[in-house]
């Protein structure tokens, strides 16, 4: 089964048009200051305990780059560092998707979302409801990608931060 990349899961919960643009390998404008800030926070926060893990799964599309992996007793915990909780839903579902993909590889894990600027931590678990929601998202992403044309742009709060602004609103 071909699965979408974790990045597409994140974008799906923000904007379907962005999913389509990403799927065509149209890279967002990299000079966008918010993209840079995200990278900076991602690189600096938790630098001491950071153990970035890249998991490539050839039979599935889109490898996973996990920010932190740690063990707490017998439990495996994977964590993602985000610059703000403004798009928490996207971040939660992306992390749940990591948990689902790890489970497919035989690894049971719990997730933690870390928002260092807000000193906030959110636990993410792969519940039956979240698994069901992910299945719907995966099907919907496939449907969006198969379309010949991108979904029409819709003005949302994220547009101000989006690297595709020029493609949508110029
Ligand atoms: S600018 Fe707005 S509509 Fe266009 S891809 Fe980004 S979020 Fe979507």
């Amino acid at each position: 089964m071909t699965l979408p990349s974790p990045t597409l899961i994140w974008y799906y919960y923000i904007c379907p048009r962005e999913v389509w643009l990403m799927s065509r390998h149209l890279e967002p404008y990299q000079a966008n200051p918010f993209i840079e800030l995200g990278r900076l926070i991602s690189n600096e926060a938790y630098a001491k305990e950071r153990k970035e893990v890249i998991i490539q799964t050839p039979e599935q599309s889109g490898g996973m780059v996990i920010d932190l992996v740690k063990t707490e007793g017998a439990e495996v915990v994977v964590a993602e560092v985000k610059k703000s909780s403004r798009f928490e839903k996207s971040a939660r579902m992306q992390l749940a998707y990591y948990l689902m993909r790890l489970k497919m590889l035989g690894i049971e894990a719990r997730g933690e979302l870390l928002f260092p600027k807000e000193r906030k931590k959110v636990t993410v678990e792969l519940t039956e409801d979240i698994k069901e929601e992910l299945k719907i998202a995966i099907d919907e992403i496939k449907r969006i990608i198969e379309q010949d044309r991108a979904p029409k742009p819709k003005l949302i709060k994220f547009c101000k931060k989006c690297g595709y602004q020029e493609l949508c609103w110029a």
Side-chain angles (χ1 to χ4, degrees):
M1 175 173 55
T2 305
L3 291 169
S5 70
T7 308
L8 288 185
I9 296 284
W10 196 87
Y11 282 121
Y12 170 73
Y13 287 95
I14 301 284
C15 169
R17 179 174 168 86
E18 202 150 358
V19 168
W20 191 94
L21 292 169
M22 285 295 293
S23 76
R24 297 313 192 265
H25 304 289
L26 294 163
E27 292 296 323
Y29 181 47
Q30 296 298 301
N32 183 320
F34 291 101
I35 292 173
E36 280 305 313
L37 180 62
R39 268 202 209 109
L40 195 66
I41 289 174
S42 187
N43 286 338
E44 287 183 353
Y46 304 95
K48 276 191 197 146
E49 54 177 315
R50 175 176 294 272
K51 288 191 183 100
E52 192 173 80
V53 176
I54 300 172
I55 300 174
Q56 288 290 354
T57 49
E59 74 282 5
Q60 302 162 349
S61 63
M64 296 185 285
V65 183
I66 296 170
D67 286 344
L68 292 165
V69 177
K70 59 186 177 180
T71 49
E72 286 182 3
E75 194 174 39
V76 176
V77 181
V78 295
E80 280 288 290
V81 183
K82 299 291 177 190
K83 72 183 171 78
S84 106
S85 58
R86 191 156 173 222
F87 302 105
E88 189 179 317
K89 170 80 178 182
S90 285
R92 264 194 289 121
M93 295 311 291
Q94 187 191 35
L95 185 49
Y97 186 58
Y98 284 148
L99 300 180
M100 190 192 93
R101 297 267 301 257
L102 287 171
K103 194 177 169 76
M104 291 166 78
L105 297 169
I107 302 166
E108 298 273 352
R110 175 169 65 77
E112 278 181 5
L113 275 181
L114 306 170
F115 303 99
K117 281 187 94 177
E118 300 168 20
R119 299 178 186 275
K120 183 176 166 184
K121 180 164 87 174
V122 174
T123 297
V124 176
E125 307 216 27
L126 193 60
T127 62
E128 287 306 313
D129 284 352
I130 288 185
K131 272 198 265 183
E132 204 45 48
E133 195 175 340
L134 278 173
K135 272 188 213 155
I136 293 167
I138 290 165
D139 287 346
E140 191 57 18
I141 287 169
K142 281 183 192 160
R143 192 190 63 74
I144 293 166
I145 290 173
E146 280 167 9
Q147 290 174 356
D148 291 335
R149 288 167 180 261
K152 286 202 164 62
K154 271 193 199 157
L155 196 60
I156 55 173
K157 280 183 192 164
F158 187 75
C159 293
K160 273 192 269 174
K161 301 184 173 192
C162 179
Y164 290 122
Q165 278 172 56
E166 307 244 330
L167 278 179
C168 298
W169 309 112

